[in-house]
Amino acid sequence: MAIVSVSNSFLTFNSPNQLRFSRRRFSAMASSTTGVRVAEGEGNLPKLVLTSPQNSEAEIYLFGGCITSWKVASGKDLLFVRPDAVFNKIKPISGGIPHCFPQFGPGLIQQHGFGRNMDWSVVDSQNADDNAAVTLELKDGPYSRAMWDFAFQALYKVIVGADSLSTELKITNTDDKPFSFSTALHTYFRASSAGASVRGLKGCKTLNKDPDPKNPIEGKEDRDAVTFPGFVDTVYLDAPNELQFDNGLGDKIIIKNTNW
């Protein structure tokens, strides 16, 4: 059974440039098969490959800070990237775990914000006895300022364990004025829709957006296991911090989150 863990912390204080690590340290680790290394990805874009001592592996593109692959020790990839995804830095990468920041969905700026359309940089990497980890950073620049005029720092830590993938996103307000935002890690899991199910949502209030997304129908989930016999577009309100996902391909994944 694999575990996905998501932790999200929000900080609001003026403290830019807190973390700085030399590229020499990162490059020294790149030569090991275990730990973190740099590789050339699709479209010649740079990506990071994280390999745990137990041979679990994740791939992260610096463009968008997007995790595109998470393979457990057996070699099976539990994430999905759309066949029509492009790697040209013109459009965000469609699949894996893309960022939605500082906006989820449509709004005053572009769809899902700009976090998935900017280059992230490496500020730290670690190799422990049971995992491999890297921390990426995103800061404001002319591109983000043109649509959202605030100074910020986003730190995104990704940890690959024997059978787990953990992420932590911290947003720091480095401006002299307050701002509000929303964020999400928009995960694409590899699954068979006919066999997939989710447990843990029974009793949640629902907003069914099919057939009319602009006028969702309110309801309540009464099933122990949510299945997907056809097209589904439903929002679950006040979902619990732990869910069980059966991808219909022989894998059961525990999804845990904190502060989302």
Side-chain angles (χ1 to χ4, degrees), residues 33 47 87-88 105 115 140 151 192 216 222 247 255:
T33 55
K47 68 179 180 180
F87 295 80
N88 57 10
D140 56 285
S192 166
D222 58 4
N247 66 8
I255 303 173

Side-chain angles (χ1 to χ4, degrees), residues 16-37:
N17 304 320
Q18 288 183 317
L19 293 177
R20 285 293 179 270
F21 296 87
S22 68
R23 296 193 180 195
R24 183 178 302 169
R25 177 184 175 187
F26 179 69
S27 298
M29 293 188 63
S31 61
S32 174
T33 55
T34 299
V36 184
R37 62 183 175 88

Side-chain angles (χ1 to χ4, degrees), residues 63-65 91-94 98-101 110-118 120 138 188:
F63 176 67
K91 295 178 59 178
I93 298 171
S94 297
H99 285 270
C100 301
F101 173 80
Q110 64 187 25
Q111 176 82 1
H112 291 322
F114 49 73
R116 61 184 188 154
N117 293 321
M118 296 178 66
W120 295 61
L138 181 68
Y188 291 65

Side-chain angles (χ1 to χ4, degrees), residues 109-159:
I109 62 178
Q110 64 187 25
Q111 176 82 1
H112 291 322
F114 49 73
R116 61 184 188 154
N117 293 321
M118 296 178 66
D119 287 316
W120 295 61
S121 59
V122 179
V123 293
D124 188 23
S125 61
Q126 300 172 356
N127 183 19
D129 292 338
D130 58 352
N131 64 59
V134 67
T135 300
L136 305 183
E137 180 188 51
L138 181 68
K139 299 180 72 174
D140 56 285
Y143 178 74
S144 68
R145 286 276 191 163
M147 63 186 92
W148 198 66
D149 192 19
F150 296 101
F152 69 91
Q153 179 199 48
L155 291 176
Y156 184 46
K157 186 174 184 179
V158 180
I159 305 172

Side-chain angles (χ1 to χ4, degrees), residues 27-232:
S27 298
M29 293 188 63
S31 61
S32 174
T33 55
T34 299
V36 184
R37 62 183 175 88
V38 182
E40 184 177 284
E42 298 288 337
N44 299 320
L45 297 181
K47 68 179 180 180
L48 305 176
V49 180
L50 281 66
T51 306
S52 77
Q54 300 82 10
N55 291 321
S56 297
E57 184 178 279
E59 296 182 357
I60 311 171
Y61 278 76
L62 294 182
F63 176 67
C66 184
I67 302 174
T68 55
S69 175
W70 171 36
K71 295 178 181 178
V72 291
S74 65
K76 179 180 286 190
D77 201 331
L78 300 182
L79 298 182
F80 176 78
V81 175
R82 287 174 44 164
D84 59 350
V86 295
F87 295 80
N88 57 10
K89 299 185 74 170
I90 297 175
K91 295 178 59 178
I93 298 171
S94 297
I97 310 180
H99 285 270
C100 301
F101 173 80
Q103 171 184 287
F104 178 78
L108 298 178
I109 62 178
Q110 64 187 25
Q111 176 82 1
H112 291 322
F114 49 73
R116 61 184 188 154
N117 293 321
M118 296 178 66
D119 287 316
W120 295 61
S121 59
V122 179
V123 293
D124 188 23
S125 61
Q126 300 172 356
N127 183 19
D129 292 338
D130 58 352
N131 64 59
V134 67
T135 300
L136 305 183
E137 180 188 51
L138 181 68
K139 299 180 72 174
D140 56 285
Y143 178 74
S144 68
R145 286 276 191 163
M147 63 186 92
W148 198 66
D149 192 19
F150 296 101
F152 69 91
Q153 179 199 48
L155 291 176
Y156 184 46
K157 186 174 184 179
V158 180
I159 305 172
V160 178
D163 59 355
S164 65
L165 175 69
S166 299
T167 59
E168 180 181 273
L169 179 63
K170 294 183 178 181
I171 308 298
T172 301
N173 183 350
T174 59
D175 214 317
D176 57 4
K177 56 184 180 294
F179 59 69
S180 61
F181 66 94
S182 59
T183 185
L185 296 173
H186 202 301
T187 307
Y188 291 65
F189 284 109
R190 187 176 300 274
S192 166
S193 59
S197 64
V198 178
R199 291 182 176 271
L201 294 170
K202 186 175 182 178
C204 289
K205 293 181 180 180
T206 60
L207 296 177
N208 186 359
K209 300 170 67 176
D210 177 40
D212 186 359
K214 295 183 179 180
N215 295 287
I217 300 173
E218 296 184 7
K220 185 177 181 180
E221 183 57 67
D222 58 4
R223 294 172 292 177
D224 291 321
V226 177
T227 57
F228 310 93
F231 180 79
V232 175

